[in-house]
Amino acid sequence: MLGCIPTRYWKCCVVLFVCGVAAAQSPAADQQAYCAYLTEQAQAQSDLLRTPSGVASFTQPDTGLPTQLVAGATVSLAGVKKAGITVDAARKNCDLYRASTGVQQYLQYALPNIERQALANRLTLIAEASKSLDGLIADTTKMVEAQNMTRPMLLELQMTKIKLEADRADTQTKISAIYVPVLAAQSLKEQVAAKQASDVMEQQALDKLARQNNWDVALTVGAHQQISPFASGVEPYGEVTATYNFASRAIDRHLDRAVDAYAGWKKVQEGDAARGMEVLKGQVSESIAAQQGRLDSLRLESAEIEKNLELVSEPDTSAALDFRNQLTTTRILLGIEMKDSSFRLERLREFLSANY
């Protein structure tokens, strides 16, 4: 046992952080602060276990011997051994905390990170489309001045320009609303494997600590003084007490099985890293399918636009000019959506390939 650091409390702390990781602004600082707290608690428990305890008592033996005043110090060999194991268990729990928070952060922000990249790319696409539209507006303005086109035709282009600017503002707003911390360079697969290894190592440390409860050798030394009747002179005394639990072999087997069962549970636990990894894989796969369907549909529409543009490649009437402008602006807007979808599809596939 860990005294002031019970096992269930350690688990509780890890789970609570996993649930509240969204609020963490500095994960590294959080991990450092938690580990500092945990280390101090473990050191306090270690000092308690390894330091001898003072004892004092009055004894009245049943055999009719005189009353004695006994004072001295006692130390537990099992406690001394537990002291070092307690610190090691705290270190293993700290490693698990770091691994757990790191992988949970990656799971939480992986898709928002891709979304932020896609939105940043969309801003670039909007800027390129805006330049193309500006050129089309400039050409149309000259034709309006030459009375080859009407002002309503120019107005349609200006309305498209307004839509582009609205799209730009909306995209910038979405980017500012997405918080993505610096994510680990390791792949998700590697992080989950490291976290599962930390799970096992922490349980093994706790297993080793629990085994120390099966035995103990206590050494007590001090002095005794006869009280009634009073006798002058203080004499030394010593005592060795050994204890052993006869069920220790069975207890150890159960503890070993508990470590294996814990590792198996963590692989299927809802909300844990291994399960979260599989859930994220499903989400990414569904997103890839959705983006592929969107891109296929946009390509069909783009092919229709290109066919119509070929029909008015050399317009000879104002109506034909207007129709060509409409097709051109549609192609510009469609180009944004196609390139946006292609970018998202590429990033999602890269993520799946790198992490699974």
Side-chain angles (χ1 to χ4, degrees):
M1 62 181 182
L2 294 178
C4 56
I5 316 176
T7 303
R8 63 179 181 276
Y9 176 72
W10 288 5
K11 301 300 174 299
C12 210
C13 288
V14 174
V15 172
L16 284 175
F17 176 85
V18 168
C19 295
V21 70
Q25 296 299 313
S26 180
D30 169 83
Q31 294 167 2
Q32 184 178 0
Y34 175 75
C35 289
Y37 155 74
L38 194 63
T39 299
E40 292 301 325
Q41 287 278 52
Q43 290 290 355
Q45 182 71 359
S46 178
D47 290 343
L48 176 64
L49 290 168
R50 67 162 54 96
T51 305
S53 300
V55 294
S57 65
F58 287 97
T59 64
Q60 176 63 61
D62 295 335
T63 57
L65 295 176
T67 302
Q68 302 282 325
L69 172 62
V70 179
T74 183
V75 62
S76 166
L77 297 186
V80 172
K81 192 169 183 181
K82 284 181 184 179
I85 301 175
T86 298
V87 174
D88 182 63
R91 189 180 302 111
K92 294 294 194 303
N93 181 261
C94 184
D95 293 340
L96 174 59
Y97 187 79
R98 288 195 180 98
S100 297
T101 55
V103 72
Q104 288 293 344
Q105 183 186 70
Y106 198 93
L107 288 169
Q108 180 174 353
Y109 292 108
L111 290 182
N113 185 45
I114 294 175
E115 178 66 17
R116 189 178 177 89
Q117 293 176 17
L119 291 172
N121 178 70
R122 187 178 181 87
L123 281 180
T124 302
L125 298 176
I126 291 173
E128 294 173 353
S130 184
K131 289 181 180 179
S132 299
L133 189 59
D134 286 340
L136 188 59
I137 290 174
D139 292 341
T140 303
T141 300
K142 292 178 181 178
M143 298 185 72
V144 169
E145 292 174 351
Q147 297 183 350
N148 292 326
M149 296 188 72
T150 62
R151 291 194 176 277
M153 298 177 183
L154 178 61
L155 179 60
E156 290 181 5
L157 296 178
Q158 292 171 336
M159 290 297 292
T160 302
K161 177 73 173 180
I162 292 173
K163 291 179 182 178
L164 275 180
E165 292 304 318
D167 191 359
R168 188 201 307 273
D170 181 61
T171 302
Q172 290 172 334
T173 301
K174 289 179 179 178
I175 290 176
S176 65
I178 298 176
Y179 166 72
V180 179
V182 178
L183 299 179
Q186 283 184 308
S187 70
L188 182 57
K189 186 176 182 179
E190 292 173 330
Q191 292 182 65
V192 170
K195 191 266 180 186
Q196 289 179 322
S198 292
D199 274 327
V200 174
M201 286 189 289
E202 189 228 16
Q203 284 299 306
Q204 288 174 340
L206 296 177
D207 180 356
K208 186 177 181 181
L209 187 63
R211 289 171 185 264
Q212 307 312 308
N213 296 324
N214 295 337
W215 68 277
D216 194 11
V217 176
L219 175 64
T220 304
V221 295
H224 66 93
Q225 169 68 55
Q226 182 175 311
I227 301 298
S228 177
F230 182 79
S232 61
V234 177
E235 297 184 9
Y237 86 99
E239 179 181 309
V240 176
T241 304
T243 60
Y244 177 78
N245 192 313
F246 291 113
S248 61
R249 293 175 65 87
I251 292 171
D252 291 347
R253 285 198 300 270
H254 288 303
L255 289 173
D256 290 339
R257 291 171 186 170
V259 172
D260 295 335
Y262 184 82
W265 169 55
K266 282 296 177 180
K267 292 179 181 179
V268 297
Q269 181 191 11
E270 289 293 336
D272 198 69
R275 176 60 178 161
M277 180 179 175
E278 293 306 312
V279 171
L280 180 60
K281 182 179 181 180
Q283 292 175 328
V284 172
S285 297
E286 290 176 3
S287 296
I288 288 175
Q291 289 298 330
Q292 186 62 63
R294 178 191 178 205
L295 184 58
D296 292 341
S297 177
L298 290 172
R299 283 172 175 167
L300 290 176
E301 294 179 14
S302 178
E304 290 298 321
I305 295 297
E306 294 300 326
K307 288 179 182 178
N308 287 320
L309 277 172
E310 290 178 2
L311 297 176
V312 289
S313 58
E314 297 180 1
D316 52 3
T317 64
S318 60
L321 286 170
D322 183 33
F323 185 49
R324 187 183 65 178
N325 278 357
Q326 291 178 10
L327 291 172
T328 302
T329 55
T330 302
R331 182 172 62 179
I332 290 173
L333 297 178
L334 197 59
I336 295 176
E337 302 304 325
M338 288 180 63
K339 292 177 182 178
D340 176 69
S341 186
S342 295
F343 182 88
R344 291 172 183 272
L345 193 58
E346 181 181 355
R347 289 294 178 272
L348 288 167
R349 284 174 174 166
E350 286 177 356
F351 178 84
L352 206 59
S353 174
N355 290 280
Y356 292 90

